[in-house]
Amino acid sequence: MSHQDPSAPTGSLTAQGPTNSCYNTSPTPVTTQTDSRDKWSKKMDFLLSVIGFAVDLGNVWRFPYICYQNGGGAFLIPYVLMAIFGGVPLFYMELALGQFHRTGAISIWKHICPIFKGIGFAICIIALYVSFYYNTIIAWALYYFYSSFSATLPWTNCNNTWNTPNCTNYFGQNNVTWTNFSRSPAEEFYTRNVLEIHKSSGLHNVGGVRWQLMLCLFLIFTIVYFSLWKGVKTSGKVVWVTATLPYVVLFILLIRGATLPGAWRGVVFYLKPKWEKLLETSVWVDAAAQIFFSLGPGFGVLLALASYNPFTNNCYRDAIVTSLVNCLTSFVSGFVIFTVLGYMAEKRNVEVEDVARDKGPSLLFITYPEAIANMVGSTFFAIIFFVMMITLGLDSTFGGLEAIITAVMDEYPEFLAHRRELFVLGLVSICFLGSLSTLTYGGAYVVKLLEEFGVSSSIIAVGFLEAIAVSWFYGIQRFSNDIKSMLGYSPGIFWKVCWVAISPAFLAYIIVSSFLNQNPLTLFDYQYPDWTITVGYCIGASSFMWIPIYMVYKLVWTPGSLKQRLAVCLRPERTMPGLQTDSLSMTPIP
């Protein structure tokens, strides 16, 4: 199903290219690239970086909630199927593309299908939007981390200056009446002390910047800068801490949760299958969306990280291993969360369903801290929990910003090749300034808007076009030959069918369903007005629009008739990577 110009090569771009009869034409000018590219110091640096990017806060808050909401144990069936036929093939595709072409998300398109280069610009803009809100969530965790260094955690009782008459502490109390107006100490700490969202009436009046959160965010970006400024040599070392520490903490919290009274109630609620849910379309949509956002293809991060690999690295094995680790982490995180929810239900003397209503950040900043506050050794568990959250978030930030850095530096090497430190400083400064609106009293409303419109729909559409461009325009046979030149064997029929048909259909299914099933956007008691939804669509369009804009630009500025222009715009430049494991040279094909 690939669209190729008759004169374009259809064989493998391997070292045996000069003897291939497909190329018995006059020499064609091609880009020559001598590689002074950074390399991973160790294979584990790369693996931990990929795992650190893929395993993020969403694994801890999103998967457990979606799992119980969509049928408990029964949800694992659509989740695994969507992973096998959609998520993992796309994950493998991105790793292979990055490793073969050894370049970032913008310049890679001249080697695949030049007219789709706008995808690279869209990816960079989406990554910027992510950095505007995602690091603010890490800043909230840092604020909690600082607040945890006290003998009595500040969200334990209702005796603080920020508490209201509605504050109701049911732990250690008898005959406590819980009404629809009741608020736990943890909820009021989050909304009235950390966010101070009560000082904002909505997005039309977000109020001033919280200087405490701005200081936390500044510290976060300082860590990010000094982790990324020297390239994968430094970030590859940092992830040995940030990617492994969360697993140590998860294990400790899992053991502690399993020993709490009522933990079994939470586990039963988490995994009890509701088979009738499998007949609902929304369950399959949620499974597809969860696996896509969990593994993270389409964000350009896997392209960037894989581009620093040796040419013959086994990216197939890497894709399988890291995907498995990611999915298992999500599954285990569910036990960590729901053992504690079962404990809270036991203490409140209510059903688990009544305490499992929080989702998203509220699950991590209200529900779980509330349970921790009433454990023996609460200070210790609070500290390690928020350390885990900070490290989970930092890994994903490293990946997201590295995608931008690699893409832009590879596109403009003549200006940026020896100025990485300055470029990273400028990028981090832009991200910090772009995040200021999320640090206001109404910043949580901005975070929600950016998450829903700046990323969700746009990145799925970008991923869909990327899969189409590679499988249909670049050509599945050519792509398979690229993989063969790296690994020594071609991908099997399963992978080819997934890349050509199933994975694009998987993404199209998510896109169509998201447009057909749009729920009102709310946060706490705030209903987003219509004008904010319009602003959200404009934010989403501001990244995706560069794809058609670049297509028009490329067609207009390419000389020749329309047919000739299309042929040039759809045909990849003929470049041939050398097979050295430590370097890459792009040599002309005679």
Side-chain angles (χ1 to χ4, degrees):
M1 297 181 68
S2 60
H3 295 249
Q4 299 174 354
D5 183 81
S7 62
T10 56
S12 170
L13 301 182
T14 67
Q16 288 73 35
T19 63
N20 192 326
S21 61
C22 294
Y23 304 115
N24 290 336
T25 59
S26 58
T28 304
V30 294
T31 303
T32 300
Q33 175 183 331
T34 56
D35 192 34
S36 58
R37 193 173 191 79
D38 282 347
K39 316 288 189 307
W40 295 106
S41 299
K42 297 177 182 177
K43 174 65 175 285
M44 280 302 295
D45 293 0
F46 166 69
L47 290 177
L48 289 175
S49 296
V50 174
I51 291 171
F53 161 70
V55 177
D56 67 347
L57 294 171
N59 292 72
V60 180
W61 85 46
R62 190 181 292 116
F63 177 83
Y65 176 83
I66 287 179
C67 185
Y68 93 77
Q69 186 186 44
N70 290 291
F75 176 74
L76 296 178
I77 294 175
Y79 180 75
V80 170
L81 289 175
M82 290 296 180
I84 291 173
F85 292 101
V88 177
L90 292 169
F91 192 88
Y92 179 21
M93 172 186 280
E94 276 218 0
L95 287 183
L97 285 171
Q99 184 171 304
F100 182 83
H101 294 287
R102 301 291 296 280
T103 187
I106 298 175
S107 53
I108 194 172
W109 289 101
K110 65 186 177 184
H111 305 306
I112 297 174
C113 190
I115 201 170
F116 284 99
K117 191 175 181 178
I119 290 176
F121 293 108
I123 286 173
C124 291
I125 294 171
I126 291 170
L128 269 181
Y129 289 155
V130 172
S131 72
F132 290 167
Y133 75 84
Y134 192 81
N135 294 286
T136 297
I137 297 174
I138 308 174
W140 297 344
L142 183 59
Y143 188 96
Y144 269 85
F145 173 72
Y146 170 77
S147 302
S148 298
F149 285 90
S150 60
T152 302
L153 295 174
W155 56 87
T156 303
N157 55 60
C158 296
N159 304 323
N160 304 287
T161 56
W162 58 81
N163 291 129
T164 67
N166 289 327
C167 184
T168 305
N169 187 8
Y170 56 87
F171 277 93
Q173 311 288 331
N174 294 320
N175 301 320
V176 174
T177 302
W178 189 269
T179 70
N180 291 333
F181 299 101
S182 297
R183 298 291 181 264
S184 68
E187 182 176 350
E188 292 206 340
F189 178 81
Y190 177 52
T191 58
R192 300 182 62 83
N193 184 50
V194 179
L195 302 180
E196 293 192 7
I197 203 168
H198 61 286
K199 296 182 179 179
S200 169
S201 53
L203 281 172
H204 64 284
N205 179 28
V206 294
V209 173
R210 293 263 291 123
W211 70 265
Q212 298 94 332
L213 293 181
M214 185 168 68
L215 179 59
C216 289
L217 187 67
F218 179 79
L219 292 174
I220 292 298
F221 274 120
T222 301
I223 295 171
V224 170
Y225 174 72
F226 286 108
S227 299
L228 295 176
W229 70 323
K230 293 293 186 182
V232 295
K233 298 290 186 184
T234 51
S235 64
K237 297 296 179 286
V238 175
V239 293
W240 280 84
V241 176
T242 57
T244 57
L245 186 60
Y247 288 95
V248 176
V249 176
L250 274 176
F251 180 74
I252 294 172
L253 294 176
L254 179 62
I255 298 301
R256 182 67 185 106
T259 60
L260 293 171
W264 64 272
R265 293 176 59 188
V267 174
V268 169
F269 184 77
Y270 172 44
L271 292 180
K272 184 180 179 181
K274 303 181 185 70
W275 301 111
E276 66 278 6
K277 284 279 190 179
L278 295 180
L279 300 176
E280 298 179 14
T281 306
S282 61
V283 172
W284 294 83
V285 174
D286 284 347
Q290 172 61 25
I291 196 65
F292 179 81
F293 285 109
S294 181
L295 291 177
F299 284 89
V301 178
L302 303 176
L303 285 173
L305 298 180
S307 71
Y308 300 106
N309 272 335
F311 184 75
T312 55
N313 174 66
N314 192 335
C315 55
Y316 169 69
R317 183 176 57 201
D318 295 345
I320 300 300
V321 170
T322 51
S323 298
L324 278 174
V325 169
N326 179 275
C327 295
L328 288 174
T329 303
S330 297
F331 183 64
V332 172
S333 296
F335 289 96
V336 173
I337 296 296
F338 275 92
T339 51
V340 166
L341 293 182
Y343 166 64
M344 292 179 63
E346 185 88 359
K347 288 293 184 179
R348 283 194 194 181
N349 196 26
V350 296
E351 295 299 319
V352 178
E353 186 176 5
D354 296 325
V355 295
R357 288 175 178 167
D358 287 329
K359 61 179 179 177
S362 295
L363 185 62
L364 299 185
F365 291 110
I366 298 176
T367 311
Y368 209 90
E370 184 178 333
I372 287 176
N374 294 278
M375 295 179 186
V376 176
S378 57
T379 298
F380 168 74
F381 287 110
I383 290 172
I384 65 170
F385 176 71
F386 290 111
V387 164
M388 179 189 74
M389 286 182 58
I390 293 167
T391 53
L392 281 172
L394 283 174
D395 284 332
S396 296
T397 292
F398 294 159
L401 293 186
E402 185 59 57
I404 302 175
I405 295 165
T406 300
V408 176
M409 289 188 66
D410 286 346
E411 179 66 9
Y412 306 105
E414 63 275 15
F415 302 112
L416 301 173
H418 303 292
R419 298 185 178 92
R420 181 182 172 104
E421 291 90 345
L422 285 175
F423 176 64
V424 175
L425 179 62
L427 176 62
V428 168
S429 300
I430 291 171
C431 293
F432 178 77
L433 293 174
S435 303
L436 290 180
S437 63
T438 65
L439 303 175
T440 58
Y441 298 128
Y445 300 135
V446 181
V447 168
K448 182 77 170 178
L449 191 73
L450 284 172
E451 183 183 15
E452 290 292 326
F453 292 99
V455 181
S456 297
S457 299
S458 302
I459 198 64
I460 296 172
V462 165
F464 172 74
L465 288 179
E466 181 181 312
I468 292 294
V470 173
S471 299
W472 296 8
F473 289 85
Y474 184 64
I476 198 63
Q477 189 55 51
R478 179 182 289 165
F479 181 52
S480 298
N481 289 339
D482 292 348
I483 293 176
K484 184 178 181 180
S485 69
M486 293 188 293
L487 306 184
Y489 54 87
S490 295
I493 188 66
F494 166 78
W495 298 105
K496 294 179 182 179
V497 171
C498 285
W499 289 327
V500 170
I502 300 178
S503 295
F506 159 85
L507 293 172
Y509 178 59
I510 303 175
I511 294 169
V512 172
S513 299
S514 65
F515 280 109
L516 293 178
N517 303 299
Q518 292 183 331
N519 297 317
L521 192 61
T522 59
L523 182 65
F524 302 121
D525 297 325
Y526 179 67
Q527 176 86 37
Y528 283 70
D530 292 340
W531 71 267
T532 63
I533 305 301
T534 303
V535 170
Y537 282 123
C538 291
I539 293 173
S542 66
S543 59
F544 190 78
M545 69 180 186
W546 294 105
I547 299 174
I549 286 175
Y550 187 84
M551 287 179 173
V552 172
Y553 162 80
K554 186 70 174 175
L555 284 171
V556 168
W557 287 96
T558 300
S561 65
L562 180 59
K563 183 177 180 181
Q564 291 171 330
R565 293 180 187 193
L566 284 172
V568 171
C569 293
L570 295 176
R571 184 174 63 239
E573 293 183 9
R574 296 195 228 172
T575 53
M576 182 181 64
L579 295 182
Q580 299 93 335
T581 57
D582 295 321
S583 65
L584 175 73
S585 60
M586 307 301 280
T587 57
I589 297 175

